[in-house]
Coordinates of all heavy atoms in Angstrom, one line a residue:
M1 N 55.8 110.4 11.9 CA 56.1 109.6 10.8 C 54.9 108.6 10.6 O 54.3 108.1 11.5 CB 57.4 108.8 11.0 CG 57.8 108.0 9.7 SD 59.2 107.0 9.7 CE 60.2 107.4 11.0
S2 N 54.7 108.3 9.3 CA 53.5 107.5 9.0 C 54.0 106.4 8.0 O 55.1 106.4 7.5 CB 52.4 108.3 8.4 OG 52.8 108.8 7.1
K3 N 53.1 105.4 7.8 CA 53.4 104.3 6.9 C 53.6 105.0 5.5 O 54.4 104.6 4.7 CB 52.3 103.3 6.9 CG 52.6 102.2 5.9 CD 51.5 101.2 6.0 CE 51.5 100.2 4.8 NZ 50.3 99.5 4.6
R4 N 52.8 105.9 5.2 CA 52.8 106.6 3.9 C 54.2 107.3 3.7 O 54.8 107.2 2.6 CB 51.7 107.6 3.8 CG 51.6 108.3 2.4 CD 51.2 107.3 1.4 NE 51.4 108.0 0.1 CZ 51.4 107.3 -1.1 NH1 51.2 106.0 -1.1 NH2 51.7 108.0 -2.1
F5 N 54.7 107.9 4.7 CA 56.0 108.6 4.7 C 57.1 107.6 4.4 O 57.9 107.8 3.5 CB 56.3 109.3 6.0 CG 57.6 109.9 6.1 CD1 57.9 111.1 5.4 CD2 58.6 109.3 6.7 CE1 59.2 111.7 5.5 CE2 59.9 109.9 6.8 CZ 60.2 111.0 6.2
L6 N 57.1 106.4 5.1 CA 58.0 105.4 4.9 C 57.9 104.8 3.4 O 58.9 104.6 2.8 CB 57.8 104.2 5.8 CG 58.3 104.4 7.2 CD1 58.0 103.2 8.1 CD2 59.8 104.6 7.3
T7 N 56.7 104.7 3.0 CA 56.5 104.2 1.6 C 57.1 105.2 0.6 O 57.8 104.8 -0.3 CB 55.0 104.0 1.3 OG1 54.5 103.1 2.3 CG2 54.7 103.5 -0.1
D8 N 56.9 106.4 0.8 CA 57.4 107.4 -0.1 C 58.9 107.5 -0.1 O 59.6 107.6 -1.2 CB 56.9 108.8 0.2 CG 55.4 109.0 0.0 OD1 54.8 108.1 -0.8 OD2 54.8 109.9 0.5
V9 N 59.5 107.3 1.0 CA 61.0 107.3 1.1 C 61.6 106.1 0.4 O 62.6 106.1 -0.3 CB 61.5 107.3 2.6 CG1 62.9 107.0 2.7 CG2 61.1 108.6 3.2
I10 N 60.9 104.9 0.6 CA 61.4 103.7 -0.1 C 61.2 103.8 -1.6 O 62.1 103.5 -2.3 CB 60.5 102.4 0.4 CG1 60.9 102.2 1.9 CG2 60.8 101.2 -0.4 CD1 60.0 101.2 2.6
V11 N 60.1 104.3 -2.1 CA 59.9 104.5 -3.5 C 61.0 105.5 -4.1 O 61.6 105.2 -5.1 CB 58.5 105.1 -3.8 CG1 58.4 105.6 -5.2 CG2 57.4 104.1 -3.5
E12 N 61.2 106.6 -3.4 CA 62.2 107.6 -3.8 C 63.6 107.1 -3.9 O 64.3 107.3 -4.8 CB 62.1 108.8 -2.9 CG 62.7 110.1 -3.5 CD 62.5 111.3 -2.6 OE1 61.3 111.6 -2.4 OE2 63.4 111.8 -2.1
S13 N 64.0 106.3 -2.9 CA 65.4 105.8 -2.8 C 65.7 104.6 -3.7 O 66.8 104.3 -4.1 CB 65.8 105.6 -1.4 OG 65.1 104.5 -0.8
T14 N 64.6 103.7 -3.9 CA 64.8 102.5 -4.7 C 64.2 102.5 -6.0 O 64.6 101.6 -6.8 CB 64.3 101.3 -3.9 OG1 62.9 101.4 -3.8 CG2 65.0 101.2 -2.5
G15 N 63.2 103.3 -6.2 CA 62.5 103.2 -7.5 C 61.5 102.1 -7.6 O 60.9 101.8 -8.6
M16 N 61.2 101.5 -6.4 CA 60.3 100.3 -6.3 C 58.9 100.8 -6.5 O 58.6 102.0 -6.1 CB 60.5 99.8 -4.9 CG 59.7 98.6 -4.5 SD 59.9 98.0 -2.8 CE 61.6 97.5 -2.8
P17 N 58.0 100.0 -7.1 CA 56.6 100.4 -7.3 C 56.0 100.7 -5.9 O 56.4 100.1 -4.9 CB 55.9 99.2 -7.9 CG 57.1 98.4 -8.5 CD 58.3 98.7 -7.7
A18 N 55.1 101.6 -5.8 CA 54.5 102.0 -4.6 C 53.8 100.9 -3.8 O 53.8 100.9 -2.6 CB 53.5 103.2 -4.8
S19 N 53.1 100.0 -4.5 CA 52.4 98.9 -3.9 C 53.4 98.0 -3.1 O 53.2 97.6 -2.0 CB 51.6 98.1 -4.9 OG 52.5 97.6 -5.9
R20 N 54.6 97.7 -3.8 CA 55.6 96.9 -3.1 C 56.2 97.6 -2.0 O 56.6 97.1 -0.9 CB 56.7 96.4 -4.1 CG 56.1 95.4 -5.1 CD 57.2 94.7 -5.9 NE 58.3 94.2 -5.1 CZ 59.5 94.1 -5.5 NH1 59.9 94.5 -6.7 NH2 60.4 93.6 -4.7
A21 N 56.5 98.9 -2.2 CA 57.1 99.8 -1.1 C 56.1 99.8 0.1 O 56.6 99.8 1.2 CB 57.4 101.1 -1.6
G22 N 54.8 99.9 -0.2 CA 53.9 99.9 0.9 C 53.9 98.6 1.7 O 53.8 98.7 3.0
A23 N 54.0 97.5 1.0 CA 54.1 96.2 1.7 C 55.4 96.1 2.5 O 55.4 95.6 3.6 CB 54.0 95.1 0.7
L24 N 56.5 96.6 1.9 CA 57.8 96.6 2.6 C 57.7 97.5 3.9 O 58.2 97.1 5.0 CB 58.9 97.1 1.7 CG 60.3 97.2 2.3 CD1 60.7 95.8 2.9 CD2 61.3 97.7 1.3
A25 N 57.1 98.7 3.8 CA 56.9 99.6 5.0 C 56.1 98.9 6.0 O 56.4 98.9 7.2 CB 56.3 100.9 4.6
A26 N 55.0 98.2 5.6 CA 54.2 97.5 6.6 C 55.0 96.3 7.3 O 54.9 96.1 8.5 CB 53.0 96.9 5.9
D27 N 55.8 95.6 6.5 CA 56.6 94.6 7.1 C 57.7 95.1 8.1 O 57.9 94.5 9.1 CB 57.4 93.8 5.9 CG 56.5 93.0 5.1 OD1 55.3 92.7 5.5 OD2 56.9 92.6 4.0
I28 N 58.3 96.3 7.7 CA 59.2 96.9 8.7 C 58.5 97.3 10.0 O 59.0 97.0 11.1 CB 59.9 98.1 8.0 CG1 60.8 97.7 6.9 CG2 60.7 98.9 9.1 CD1 61.3 98.8 6.0
I29 N 57.4 97.9 9.9 CA 56.6 98.3 11.1 C 56.2 97.1 11.9 O 56.3 97.1 13.1 CB 55.4 99.2 10.7 CG1 55.9 100.5 10.1 CG2 54.4 99.4 11.8 CD1 54.8 101.3 9.4
G30 N 55.8 96.0 11.2 CA 55.4 94.8 11.9 C 56.6 94.2 12.6 O 56.4 93.7 13.7
A31 N 57.7 94.2 12.0 CA 58.9 93.6 12.6 C 59.3 94.4 13.8 O 59.7 93.8 14.9 CB 60.1 93.6 11.6
I32 N 59.3 95.7 13.8 CA 59.6 96.5 14.9 C 58.6 96.2 16.1 O 58.9 96.0 17.2 CB 59.6 98.0 14.6 CG1 60.8 98.3 13.6 CG2 59.6 98.9 15.8 CD1 60.7 99.7 13.1
R33 N 57.3 96.2 15.7 CA 56.2 95.9 16.7 C 56.4 94.5 17.3 O 56.4 94.4 18.5 CB 54.9 95.9 16.0 CG 53.7 95.8 16.8 CD 52.4 95.9 16.0 NE 51.2 95.9 16.9 CZ 50.7 94.8 17.3 NH1 51.1 93.6 17.1 NH2 49.6 94.9 18.1
D34 N 56.7 93.5 16.5 CA 57.0 92.2 17.0 C 58.2 92.1 18.0 O 58.1 91.4 19.0 CB 57.2 91.1 15.9 CG 55.9 90.9 15.1 OD1 54.8 91.2 15.6 OD2 56.0 90.4 14.0
E35 N 59.2 92.8 17.7 CA 60.4 92.9 18.5 C 60.1 93.5 19.8 O 60.5 93.1 20.9 CB 61.5 93.6 17.8 CG 62.8 93.6 18.5 CD 63.5 92.3 18.6 OE1 63.1 91.3 17.9 OE2 64.5 92.1 19.4
I36 N 59.3 94.6 19.8 CA 58.9 95.2 21.1 C 58.1 94.3 21.9 O 58.2 94.2 23.1 CB 58.2 96.6 20.8 CG1 59.2 97.6 20.2 CG2 57.5 97.1 22.1 CD1 58.5 98.9 19.7
I37 N 57.2 93.6 21.3 CA 56.3 92.7 22.0 C 57.1 91.5 22.6 O 56.8 91.2 23.8 CB 55.1 92.2 21.1 CG1 54.2 93.3 20.8 CG2 54.4 91.0 21.7 CD1 53.2 93.0 19.6
T38 N 58.0 90.9 21.9 CA 58.7 89.8 22.4 C 59.8 90.1 23.3 O 60.0 89.3 24.3 CB 59.2 88.9 21.2 OG1 60.1 89.7 20.4 CG2 58.1 88.3 20.3
T39 N 60.5 91.1 23.1 CA 61.7 91.4 23.9 C 61.5 92.6 24.9 O 62.3 92.8 25.8 CB 63.0 91.7 23.1 OG1 62.8 92.9 22.4 CG2 63.3 90.5 22.2
G40 N 60.5 93.4 24.6 CA 60.2 94.6 25.5 C 61.1 95.8 25.1 O 61.1 96.8 25.8
R41 N 61.9 95.7 24.0 CA 62.6 96.8 23.5 C 63.0 96.8 22.1 O 63.0 95.6 21.5 CB 63.9 97.0 24.4 CG 64.9 95.9 24.3 CD 66.1 96.0 25.2 NE 66.6 97.3 25.3 CZ 66.6 97.9 26.5 NH1 66.3 97.3 27.6 NH2 67.0 99.2 26.6
F42 N 63.3 97.9 21.5 CA 63.8 98.0 20.1 C 64.7 99.2 20.0 O 64.3 100.3 20.4 CB 62.6 98.1 19.1 CG 63.1 98.2 17.7 CD1 63.5 97.1 17.0 CD2 63.1 99.4 17.1 CE1 64.0 97.2 15.7 CE2 63.6 99.5 15.7 CZ 64.0 98.4 15.1
T43 N 65.9 99.0 19.5 CA 66.8 100.1 19.4 C 67.3 100.3 18.0 O 67.7 99.3 17.3 CB 68.0 99.9 20.3 OG1 67.5 99.7 21.7 CG2 69.0 101.1 20.3
L44 N 67.4 101.6 17.5 CA 68.0 101.9 16.3 C 69.2 102.8 16.6 O 69.0 103.9 17.1 CB 67.0 102.6 15.4 CG 66.0 101.8 14.7 CD1 65.0 102.7 14.0 CD2 66.6 100.9 13.7
P45 N 70.4 102.3 16.4 CA 71.6 103.2 16.6 C 71.5 104.5 15.9 O 70.9 104.6 14.8 CB 72.7 102.4 16.1 CG 72.3 101.0 16.1 CD 70.8 101.0 15.8
E46 N 71.9 105.6 16.5 CA 71.9 106.9 15.9 C 70.5 107.5 15.9 O 70.3 108.6 15.5 CB 72.5 107.0 14.5 CG 73.9 106.5 14.4 CD 74.9 107.4 15.2 OE1 74.7 108.6 15.1 OE2 75.7 106.8 15.9
F47 N 69.5 106.7 16.4 CA 68.1 107.3 16.4 C 67.6 107.3 17.8 O 67.2 108.3 18.3 CB 67.2 106.5 15.4 CG 65.8 107.0 15.4 CD1 65.5 108.2 14.7 CD2 64.8 106.3 15.9 CE1 64.2 108.7 14.7 CE2 63.4 106.8 15.8 CZ 63.2 107.9 15.2
G48 N 67.5 106.1 18.4 CA 67.0 106.0 19.8 C 66.4 104.6 20.0 O 66.5 103.7 19.2
G49 N 65.7 104.4 21.1 CA 65.2 103.2 21.5 C 63.8 103.3 22.1 O 63.4 104.3 22.7
F50 N 63.0 102.2 21.9 CA 61.7 102.0 22.4 C 61.8 101.0 23.5 O 62.4 99.9 23.3 CB 60.7 101.6 21.4 CG 60.5 102.5 20.2 CD1 61.3 102.5 19.1 CD2 59.5 103.5 20.3 CE1 61.2 103.4 18.1 CE2 59.4 104.4 19.3 CZ 60.2 104.3 18.1
V51 N 61.2 101.3 24.7 CA 61.3 100.3 25.8 C 59.9 100.3 26.4 O 59.2 101.3 26.7 CB 62.3 100.8 26.9 CG1 62.3 99.9 28.0 CG2 63.7 101.0 26.3
V52 N 59.5 99.0 26.8 CA 58.2 98.8 27.4 C 58.4 99.1 28.9 O 59.3 98.5 29.5 CB 57.6 97.4 27.2 CG1 56.3 97.2 28.0 CG2 57.4 97.2 25.7
R53 N 57.5 99.9 29.5 CA 57.6 100.2 30.9 C 56.2 99.9 31.5 O 55.2 100.1 31.0 CB 57.8 101.7 31.2 CG 59.1 102.2 30.6 CD 60.2 102.0 31.6 NE 61.4 102.7 31.1 CZ 62.6 102.2 31.3 NH1 62.8 101.2 31.9 NH2 63.6 102.9 30.8
E54 N 56.3 99.3 32.7 CA 55.1 99.0 33.5 C 54.6 100.2 34.2 O 55.4 101.0 34.7 CB 55.3 97.9 34.5 CG 55.5 96.5 33.8 CD 55.6 95.4 34.8 OE1 54.9 95.4 35.8 OE2 56.4 94.5 34.5
T55 N 53.3 100.4 34.3 CA 52.7 101.5 35.0 C 52.0 101.0 36.2 O 51.3 99.9 36.1 CB 51.8 102.4 34.2 OG1 50.7 101.6 33.7 CG2 52.5 103.0 33.0
K56 N 52.1 101.7 37.3 CA 51.4 101.2 38.6 C 49.9 101.6 38.6 O 49.6 102.6 37.9 CB 52.1 101.8 39.8 CG 53.5 101.4 39.9 CD 54.1 102.0 41.1 CE 55.6 101.6 41.3 NZ 56.2 102.3 42.4
A57 N 49.1 100.9 39.3 CA 47.8 101.4 39.5 C 47.8 102.7 40.3 O 48.7 102.9 41.2 CB 47.0 100.3 40.3
R58 N 46.9 103.6 40.0 CA 46.9 104.9 40.7 C 45.5 105.5 40.7 O 44.6 105.0 40.0 CB 47.9 105.8 40.0 CG 47.6 106.1 38.6 CD 48.7 106.9 37.9 NE 48.4 107.0 36.4 CZ 47.7 107.9 35.9 NH1 47.1 108.8 36.6 NH2 47.5 107.9 34.6
T59 N 45.4 106.6 41.4 CA 44.2 107.4 41.4 C 44.4 108.7 40.6 O 45.4 109.3 40.9 CB 43.7 107.7 42.8 OG1 43.6 106.4 43.5 CG2 42.4 108.4 42.9
A60 N 43.5 109.0 39.7 CA 43.7 110.2 38.9 C 42.4 111.0 39.0 O 41.4 110.6 39.6 CB 43.9 109.8 37.4
L61 N 42.5 112.2 38.5 CA 41.3 113.1 38.6 C 40.7 113.2 37.2 O 41.5 113.4 36.2 CB 41.7 114.5 39.1 CG 42.0 114.6 40.5 CD1 42.4 116.1 40.8 CD2 40.9 114.2 41.4
N62 N 39.4 113.1 37.1 CA 38.7 113.3 35.8 C 38.7 114.9 35.6 O 38.2 115.6 36.4 CB 37.3 112.8 35.9 CG 36.5 113.1 34.6 OD1 36.7 114.0 33.9 ND2 35.5 112.2 34.4
P63 N 39.3 115.4 34.5 CA 39.5 116.8 34.4 C 38.1 117.5 34.2 O 38.0 118.7 34.5 CB 40.4 116.9 33.1 CG 40.3 115.7 32.4 CD 40.0 114.6 33.5
R64 N 37.1 116.8 33.6 CA 35.9 117.4 33.4 C 35.0 117.6 34.6 O 34.4 118.6 34.9 CB 35.1 116.6 32.3 CG 33.8 117.2 31.9 CD 33.2 116.6 30.7 NE 34.0 117.0 29.5 CZ 33.9 116.3 28.4 NH1 33.1 115.3 28.2 NH2 34.6 116.8 27.4
T65 N 35.0 116.5 35.5 CA 34.1 116.5 36.7 C 34.9 116.8 38.0 O 34.3 117.1 39.0 CB 33.4 115.2 36.8 OG1 34.3 114.1 37.0 CG2 32.6 114.9 35.6
G66 N 36.2 116.5 37.9 CA 37.0 116.7 39.1 C 37.0 115.5 40.1 O 37.6 115.5 41.1
E67 N 36.2 114.5 39.7 CA 36.1 113.3 40.7 C 37.3 112.4 40.5 O 38.0 112.4 39.4 CB 34.8 112.5 40.4 CG 34.8 111.8 39.1 CD 33.5 111.0 38.9 OE1 33.4 109.9 39.5 OE2 32.6 111.5 38.2
Q68 N 37.6 111.7 41.5 CA 38.7 110.7 41.5 C 38.3 109.4 40.8 O 37.2 109.0 40.9 CB 39.2 110.4 42.9 CG 39.8 111.5 43.6 CD 40.4 111.1 44.9 OE1 40.1 110.0 45.4 NE2 41.3 112.0 45.5
V69 N 39.3 109.0 40.0 CA 39.0 107.8 39.2 C 40.2 106.8 39.4 O 41.4 107.3 39.4 CB 38.9 108.1 37.7 CG1 38.7 106.9 36.8 CG2 37.9 109.2 37.4
K70 N 39.9 105.5 39.5 CA 41.0 104.5 39.7 C 41.5 104.1 38.3 O 40.7 103.9 37.4 CB 40.5 103.3 40.4 CG 40.2 103.6 41.9 CD 40.0 102.4 42.7 CE 39.8 102.7 44.1 NZ 39.7 101.6 45.0
V71 N 42.8 104.1 38.1 CA 43.4 103.7 36.8 C 44.2 102.4 37.1 O 45.0 102.3 38.1 CB 44.4 104.8 36.4 CG1 45.1 104.4 35.0 CG2 43.7 106.2 36.2
K72 N 43.9 101.4 36.3 CA 44.5 100.1 36.4 C 46.0 100.1 36.1 O 46.5 101.0 35.3 CB 43.9 99.1 35.5 CG 42.5 98.8 35.7 CD 42.0 97.8 34.7 CE 40.5 97.8 34.6 NZ 40.1 96.8 33.5
A73 N 46.8 99.2 36.6 CA 48.1 99.0 36.3 C 48.2 98.6 34.8 O 47.2 97.9 34.3 CB 48.8 98.0 37.1
G74 N 49.2 98.9 34.1 CA 49.3 98.5 32.7 C 50.8 98.6 32.2 O 51.7 98.5 33.0
A75 N 50.9 98.9 30.9 CA 52.2 99.1 30.3 C 52.1 100.2 29.3 O 51.0 100.4 28.7 CB 52.7 97.8 29.7
T76 N 53.2 100.8 29.0 CA 53.3 101.8 28.0 C 54.7 101.7 27.3 O 55.6 101.1 27.8 CB 53.2 103.2 28.6 OG1 53.1 104.2 27.5 CG2 54.3 103.6 29.5
V77 N 54.8 102.2 26.1 CA 56.0 102.1 25.4 C 56.6 103.5 25.4 O 56.0 104.5 25.0 CB 55.8 101.6 23.9 CG1 57.2 101.6 23.1 CG2 55.2 100.3 23.9
K78 N 57.8 103.6 25.9 CA 58.5 104.9 26.0 C 59.6 105.0 24.9 O 60.2 103.9 24.6 CB 59.2 105.1 27.4 CG 58.3 105.0 28.5 CD 57.8 106.4 28.8 CE 56.9 106.3 30.1 NZ 56.6 107.6 30.6
F79 N 59.9 106.2 24.4 CA 61.0 106.4 23.4 C 62.0 107.2 24.0 O 61.7 108.2 24.7 CB 60.4 107.0 22.1 CG 61.5 107.4 21.2 CD1 62.1 106.4 20.4 CD2 62.0 108.7 21.0 CE1 63.2 106.7 19.5 CE2 63.0 109.0 20.1 CZ 63.6 108.0 19.4
K80 N 63.3 106.9 23.9 CA 64.4 107.7 24.3 C 65.3 107.9 23.1 O 65.8 107.0 22.6 CB 65.2 107.0 25.5 CG 66.3 107.9 26.0 CD 67.0 107.2 27.1 CE 68.1 108.1 27.6 NZ 68.9 107.5 28.6
A81 N 65.4 109.2 22.8 CA 66.2 109.6 21.7 C 67.7 109.4 22.0 O 68.1 109.6 23.1 CB 65.9 111.0 21.3
S82 N 68.5 109.1 20.9 CA 69.9 108.9 21.1 C 70.5 110.3 21.3 O 69.9 111.3 20.9 CB 70.5 108.3 19.9 OG 70.6 109.2 18.8
P83 N 71.7 110.4 21.9 CA 72.3 111.7 22.1 C 72.6 112.5 20.8 O 72.4 113.7 20.7 CB 73.7 111.4 22.7 CG 73.4 110.1 23.4 CD 72.4 109.3 22.6
N84 N 72.9 111.7 19.7 CA 73.1 112.4 18.4 C 71.8 112.9 17.8 O 71.8 114.0 17.3 CB 73.7 111.4 17.4 CG 75.1 111.0 17.7 OD1 75.8 111.7 18.4 ND2 75.5 109.8 17.1
L85 N 70.7 112.2 18.0 CA 69.4 112.7 17.5 C 69.0 114.0 18.3 O 68.5 115.0 17.7 CB 68.3 111.7 17.7 CG 66.9 112.1 17.2 CD1 66.9 112.5 15.8 CD2 65.9 111.0 17.5
K86 N 69.2 114.0 19.6 CA 68.9 115.1 20.4 C 69.7 116.3 20.0 O 69.2 117.4 19.8 CB 69.2 114.9 21.9 CG 68.2 113.9 22.6 CD 68.6 113.8 24.0 CE 67.8 112.7 24.7 NZ 68.2 112.5 26.1
Q87 N 71.0 116.2 19.7 CA 71.9 117.2 19.3 C 71.4 117.8 18.0 O 71.4 119.0 17.8 CB 73.3 116.7 19.3 CG 74.3 117.8 18.9 CD 75.7 117.2 18.8 OE1 75.9 116.0 19.1 NE2 76.7 118.0 18.5
D88 N 71.2 116.9 17.0 CA 70.7 117.3 15.7 C 69.4 118.0 15.7 O 69.1 119.0 15.0 CB 70.7 116.1 14.7 CG 72.1 115.6 14.4 OD1 73.1 116.2 14.7 OD2 72.1 114.4 13.9
A89 N 68.5 117.5 16.5 CA 67.1 118.1 16.6 C 67.2 119.5 17.2 O 66.6 120.5 16.8 CB 66.2 117.2 17.5
L90 N 68.1 119.7 18.2 CA 68.3 121.0 18.8 C 68.9 122.0 17.8 O 68.4 123.1 17.7 CB 69.1 120.9 20.1 CG 69.4 122.2 20.8 CD1 68.1 122.8 21.3 CD2 70.4 122.0 22.0
A91 N 69.8 121.5 17.1 CA 70.4 122.4 16.0 C 69.4 122.8 15.0 O 69.4 123.9 14.5 CB 71.6 121.7 15.4
G92 N 68.5 121.8 14.6 CA 67.5 122.1 13.6 C 66.5 123.1 14.2 O 66.0 124.0 13.5
L93 N 66.1 123.0 15.4 CA 65.2 123.9 16.1 C 65.8 125.3 16.1 O 65.1 126.3 15.8 CB 64.9 123.4 17.5 CG 63.9 124.2 18.3 CD1 62.5 124.3 17.6 CD2 63.8 123.7 19.7
K94 N 67.0 125.4 16.5 CA 67.6 126.7 16.6 C 67.7 127.4 15.2 O 67.4 128.6 15.1 CB 69.1 126.6 17.1 CG 69.1 126.4 18.6 CD 70.5 126.2 19.1 CE 70.6 126.0 20.6 NZ 71.9 125.9 21.1
K95 N 68.0 126.6 14.2 CA 68.0 127.1 12.8 C 66.7 127.6 12.4 O 66.6 128.6 11.7 CB 68.5 126.0 11.9 CG 68.7 126.4 10.4 CD 69.3 125.3 9.6 CE 69.5 125.7 8.2 NZ 70.0 124.6 7.3
A96 N 65.6 126.8 12.7 CA 64.3 127.2 12.3 C 63.9 128.5 13.0 O 63.2 129.4 12.4 CB 63.3 126.1 12.7
K97 N 64.2 128.7 14.3 CA 63.9 129.9 15.0 C 64.6 131.1 14.4 O 64.1 132.2 14.3 CB 64.3 129.8 16.5 CG 63.3 128.9 17.3 CD 63.7 128.9 18.7 CE 62.7 128.1 19.6 NZ 63.1 128.1 21.0
R98 N 65.9 130.9 14.0 CA 66.6 132.0 13.4 C 66.0 132.4 12.0 O 65.9 133.6 11.7 CB 68.1 131.6 13.2 CG 69.0 131.7 14.4 CD 70.5 131.6 14.1 NE 70.8 130.5 13.3 CZ 71.2 129.3 13.7 NH1 71.3 129.0 15.0 NH2 71.5 128.3 12.9
K99 N 65.6 131.4 11.3 CA 65.0 131.7 10.0 C 63.6 132.4 10.2 O 63.3 133.3 9.4 CB 64.7 130.3 9.3 CG 64.2 130.5 7.9 CD 64.2 129.2 7.1 CE 63.7 129.3 5.7 NZ 63.7 128.1 5.0
A100 N 62.9 132.0 11.2 CA 61.5 132.6 11.5 C 61.8 134.1 11.9 O 61.0 135.0 11.6 CB 60.8 131.9 12.5
A101 N 62.8 134.3 12.7 CA 63.1 135.7 13.2 C 63.5 136.6 12.0 O 63.1 137.8 12.0 CB 64.2 135.7 14.2
R102 N 64.2 136.1 11.0 CA 64.6 136.9 9.8 C 63.4 137.2 8.9 O 63.3 138.3 8.3 CB 65.6 136.2 9.1 CG 67.0 136.4 9.6 CD 68.1 135.8 8.6 NE 68.5 134.6 9.2 CZ 68.8 133.4 8.5 NH1 68.6 133.4 7.2 NH2 69.2 132.4 9.1
G103 N 62.5 136.2 8.8 CA 61.4 136.3 7.8 C 60.3 137.0 8.2 O 59.7 137.9 8.0

């Protein structure tokens, strides 16, 4: 999903001018980002949640040279889909596979 996609959905559902819809989409994305930064999580019921997870320092391999490289500790944002989203996504995937097999 992109900011442009959100803008198009807002324009389509409200009839709002694209410039205002773009600003609204940016505000929504900014609010989600701020919530993740301040609380470490953001959840949308029926969709899923974003959670900040700390990563440990570790040793990895450079795939090009094969040499060992030290990776610093840090943080990443993980997404966990809601059970309803998982179920709907699986149903959509199965439907697409059936359609591809017929066509």
